[in-house]
């Protein structure tokens, strides 16, 4: 299943996306699903650490930081809040 | 007077340990870092005329992801088969918390769902329809605030109903897509034949489809542990037991 939309790692701070695909595999995939990274759920890009990695995301009312390795494999469609 | 076991399951930071300490009177510090409750704490409490042995399972988001914590929680619920599994949920984050509740309810219907932090949720304007959730889940659902000691009596009444067997429900049956259901149907007779009626066969079949190696290992260990133990009793008569 190819992900549509943009990888979360490319989304701007403050933007909101609706998750359209998750290509992470194995144990970590399950963990991300358990945390709320499921297709259809809305995620907000909160802020990036000084070196740009990891990035804090808000999902299901909780803040979760992901590294690029993971966030680049989660795709979403922009639904709002992306001020350039 | 009977003694029952109650296992406390829940996501990290849902106030599970606060409730556990409130009921058992244990005064242990409850911190907020991942894997805090690695070793399961045990305590005791009484309600009406019954004594309950309480087991605080590690806080987990799931029983699937194969961390040591999740394996410990899962193995306890499946193999030790507590009289009641008390699933503690965070009222302010029900969406994620219900994930674990569903996983537990697929294993056992001998459960009580306890929605904690109800006062926090009210402050945030979250209105929870307990009746509806209870109906969907098929087990008793109680809203409490462990910190402010709200709803504890009502919770214990429900725990008693499940423990004494005056309330019982079959494990929740979630219908999956056709492909998965076909897989389950194929595996189910084999699983039932292998593990017997003691364990939730449909759930095990599901885990097999998922390729859950760690459950396989635990199952093997438990099945082996039970069979040779019986033989040993017969053959090793007179030899001091080695603990």
């Amino acid at each position: 299943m190819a992900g549509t939309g943009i990888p979360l790692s490319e989304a701007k701070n403050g933007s909101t996306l609706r998750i359209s695909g998750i290509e992470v595999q194995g144990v970590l995939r399950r963990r991300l699903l358990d945390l709320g990274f499921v297709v259809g759920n809305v995620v907000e890009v909160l802020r990036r650490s000084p070196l740009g990695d990891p990035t804090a995301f808000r999902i299901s009312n909780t803040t979760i930081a992901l590294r690029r390795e993971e966030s680049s494999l989660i795709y979403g469609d922009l639904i709002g809040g992306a001020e350039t | 007077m009977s003694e029952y076991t109650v296992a406390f399951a829940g996501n990290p930071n849902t106030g599970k340990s606060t409730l556990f300490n409130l009921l058992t009177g244990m005064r242990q510090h409850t911190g907020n870092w991942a894997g805090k409750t690695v070793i399961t704490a045990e305590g005791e409490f009484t309600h009406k005329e019954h004594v309950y042995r309480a087991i605080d399972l590690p806080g987990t988001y799931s029983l699937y992801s194969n961390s040591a914590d999740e394996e410990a929680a899962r193995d306890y619920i499946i193999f030790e088969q507590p009289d009641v599994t008390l699933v503690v949920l965070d009222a302010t984050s029900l969406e994620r918390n219900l994930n674990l509740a569903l996983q537990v309810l697929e294993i056992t219907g001998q459960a009580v769902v306890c929605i904690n932090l109800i006062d926090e949720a009210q402050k945030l304007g979250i209105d929870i329809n307990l009746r509806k959730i209870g109906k969907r889940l098929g087990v008793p659902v109680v809203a409490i605030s462990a910190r402010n000691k709200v709803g504890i009596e009502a919770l214990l009444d429900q725990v008693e109903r499940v423990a004494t067997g005056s309330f019982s429900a079959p494990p929740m049956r979630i219908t999956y897509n056709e492909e998965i259901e076909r897989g389950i149907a194929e595996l189910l007779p084999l699983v039932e034949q292998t593990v017997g009626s003691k364990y939730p066969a449909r759930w095990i079949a599901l885990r097999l489809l998922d390729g859950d190696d760690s459950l396989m290992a635990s199952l093997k260990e438990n099945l082996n542990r039970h069979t040779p133990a019986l033989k040993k009793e017969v053959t090793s008569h007179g030899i001091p037991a080695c603990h």
Side-chain angles (χ1 to χ4, degrees):
Chain A
M1 191 180 77
T4 61
I6 56 167
L8 290 192
S9 54
E10 306 299 320
K12 293 189 176 64
N13 288 359
S15 60
T16 335
L17 300 97
R18 187 179 302 280
I19 296 174
S20 58
I22 301 166
E23 288 187 353
V24 183
Q25 293 302 325
V27 169
L28 195 61
R29 178 190 178 86
R30 185 72 235 186
R31 163 70 30 106
L32 291 171
L33 293 173
D34 289 331
L35 290 172
F37 288 91
V38 287
V39 171
N41 214 353
V42 174
V43 57
E44 186 192 343
V45 186
L46 286 184
R47 57 184 171 269
R48 291 188 152 76
S49 65
L51 295 175
D53 192 34
T55 301
F57 298 97
R58 188 138 191 100
I59 191 146
S60 304
N61 207 22
T62 304
T63 306
I64 289 161
L66 294 182
R67 292 207 174 273
R68 181 168 287 275
E69 297 160 64
E70 290 94 39
S71 59
S72 62
L73 293 172
I74 304 173
Y75 301 88
D77 299 316
L78 208 58
I79 55 171
E83 69 269 20
T84 14
Chain B
M1 188 151 128
S2 326
E3 193 184 293
Y4 299 106
T5 51
V6 183
F8 289 54
N11 284 13
N13 304 324
T14 52
K16 189 167 64 72
S17 295
T18 308
L19 176 65
F20 181 85
N21 292 346
L22 173 70
L23 293 176
T24 60
M26 283 173 79
R27 290 281 167 268
Q28 59 186 28
H29 178 70
T30 46
N32 270 349
W33 52 89
K36 171 72 176 55
T37 322
V38 181
I39 300 164
T40 53
E42 279 196 40
E44 232 180 51
F45 63 91
T46 48
H47 177 62
K48 296 189 180 155
E49 66 266 39
H50 300 299
V51 179
Y52 297 88
R53 195 161 66 86
I55 294 98
D56 195 15
L57 301 176
T60 61
Y61 292 107
S62 169
L63 302 173
Y64 290 165
S65 305
N66 298 343
S67 73
D69 288 359
E70 297 182 358
E71 276 173 36
R74 178 200 67 197
D75 285 357
Y76 192 89
I77 296 170
I78 294 182
F79 299 119
E80 303 302 324
Q81 303 189 331
D83 297 303
V84 185
T85 300
L86 184 63
V87 192
V88 184
L89 311 182
D90 175 352
T92 67
S93 183
L94 269 190
E95 196 184 346
R96 183 193 10 262
N97 279 250
L98 280 166
N99 179 35
L100 181 71
L102 285 175
Q103 292 183 20
V104 170
L105 292 177
E106 271 193 300
I107 298 173
T108 174
Q110 282 165 265
V112 173
V113 170
C114 165
I115 301 181
N116 192 21
L117 303 168
I118 192 70
D119 43 359
E120 286 294 320
Q122 273 159 1
K123 258 184 245 163
L124 293 170
I126 298 168
D127 189 28
I128 293 169
N129 189 335
L130 288 176
R131 191 181 292 257
K132 212 165 182 174
I133 293 179
K135 213 171 170 187
R136 288 288 296 274
L137 296 182
V139 297
V141 176
V142 187
I144 68 156
S145 165
R147 200 177 41 198
N148 295 316
K149 305 187 175 77
V150 175
I152 307 298
E153 280 299 305
L155 172 68
L156 293 179
D157 287 345
Q158 296 303 328
V159 168
E160 182 186 314
R161 277 177 75 209
V162 174
T164 57
S166 79
F167 174 91
S168 74
M172 192 173 187
R173 196 181 170 131
I174 295 166
T175 309
Y176 294 91
N177 68 34
E178 214 178 292
E179 189 188 355
I180 294 173
E181 286 295 337
R182 213 180 310 126
I184 296 172
E186 228 171 279
L187 282 171
L188 206 52
L190 295 167
V191 173
E192 278 170 345
Q193 207 185 330
T194 313
V195 303
S197 57
K198 203 169 167 238
Y199 302 120
R202 181 181 160 89
W203 187 81
I204 291 169
L206 259 169
R207 305 314 312 142
L208 289 177
L209 285 176
D210 202 30
D212 190 337
D213 292 335
S214 100
L215 177 71
M216 284 288 282
S218 291
L219 259 178
K220 229 177 240 169
E221 200 181 294
N222 266 273
L223 289 171
N224 288 342
R225 182 148 47 105
H226 289 306
T227 18
L230 283 170
K231 270 190 211 144
K232 219 177 176 178
E233 236 174 50
V234 185
T235 53
S236 67
H237 184 71
I239 299 166
C242 181
H243 290 292

